[in-house]
Amino acid sequence: KQTTNKFWNITKKIFKIIFKILKFSFKTALLAGVIISLYIGFHIVKTVHEVPKVTEDIVKNEISGTSNMYAADGTIIWSDTEHRRDYITIDKVPQKYKDLLLATEDNEYYTNPGFSPKGLFNAIKTRGARGGSGVEQQLIKNIFFSSNAKDRTIDRKIKELWLALKFNQNFEKDKMLEWYINLINMGEDSYGANTIAITYFGSSLADMTGEDEHTISKLAIIAGLGQAPSTYNLYDNPQEVEKRRNEVLLSALNQKKISKDLYNKAKAVPVQEGLKERYWRNNEVINQGNLHSAYITSALQQIKDLGYDLNKTPMQIYTALNPQVNLDVKYIFDNFSGYQDERMQSAGTFIDPNTGFVLAQYGGRYSQAFGLNRATQNTRSSGSSTKPFISYGPAIQYFGKGSGTRSEERR
């Protein structure tokens, strides 16, 4: 009996010690949890306070269109080929393109709070192996943050999520989708879905309203480009583009955005069907530049002299250039028989006397696009062009000489 009592006493003491240890451990863990939670909360608040202030003007500046210059008849005579963006409003974007895009990138876009909880969970679960960013987060990332791997930090993700929530509160879903469609880099120096549609197929996205397999194939190609524009470049990697297009079509099929029959027919369409010759848009700009070089360089210099930087402020520049008059002037000057040798040059600016508008300009023989413009440049001797002002004028005004005066008398 004494042995039994002793055993129970020892057992009670052990349980008391264990209970105290557990109680202490629980309090310690609770305290640690509170401290960690406070630290995390403080860090999140601090990080959120560092996010940039967002206005619609900031977004629009990032998604501004390409600078273009137009002749009087509306012909584009110059364009910024290094950063081309043909802006399209959401009401002109075909519904099928929106269906294909969202089925691939963010099928909960119109119902989520600014980010996809499911996508975020998948990204955490797979440790980033699967992307968790929805349309709004991708839009924010491209506008405000770097896409470099070293910048993919937890702090940036917190900022992205916070800005996504704020965007969702302040802007309509259609407007944000419009920005996204126009912002993304699609390769070939083309920014935005409409731009790459023109670059690849010579057709505006607004005109791709058909629901036949050929149109759906093109729309699926464009919808799949944003993930990796270099990898899915239609000129360089048609096989990779075909795989990606089929993934987009399958996503649309699973989301019931296209029928099984249309899915099968679109998959059978060759991806390079209707593809324009590479750099065709740049070549058109170069050709126009060769024809109207002097006029273009003068107009661009005038824009610069007025204090505008086209790299920061894209503009639509409307001129009074009459293309036919300019071509006639070029032909007459190029083929003038009075040149004594190959070195002789001529240049001129031609103005409508009734309006004062410059209709044409010739910068010199053998001139290349954006080369020397002798009609406006002032870095070389003015030659005989100053004689009426410094010689003939004073002779007539002060010495009574006339146009019939011989050269000996003029001296």
Side-chain angles (χ1 to χ4, degrees), residues 42-53 158-159 162:
F42 174 78
H43 183 76
I44 290 174
V45 171
K46 180 176 177 292
T47 303
V48 166
H49 275 293
E50 294 173 355
V51 299
K53 185 178 180 180
I158 292 172
K159 293 176 183 178
W162 176 257

Side-chain angles (χ1 to χ4, degrees), residues 270-290:
V271 289
Q272 290 190 314
E273 180 184 84
L275 182 64
K276 297 275 287 184
E277 180 184 353
R278 197 170 199 175
Y279 307 126
W280 71 273
R281 299 187 77 183
N282 291 9
N283 291 335
E284 285 193 354
V285 172
I286 292 171
N287 291 337
Q288 289 294 325
N290 285 327

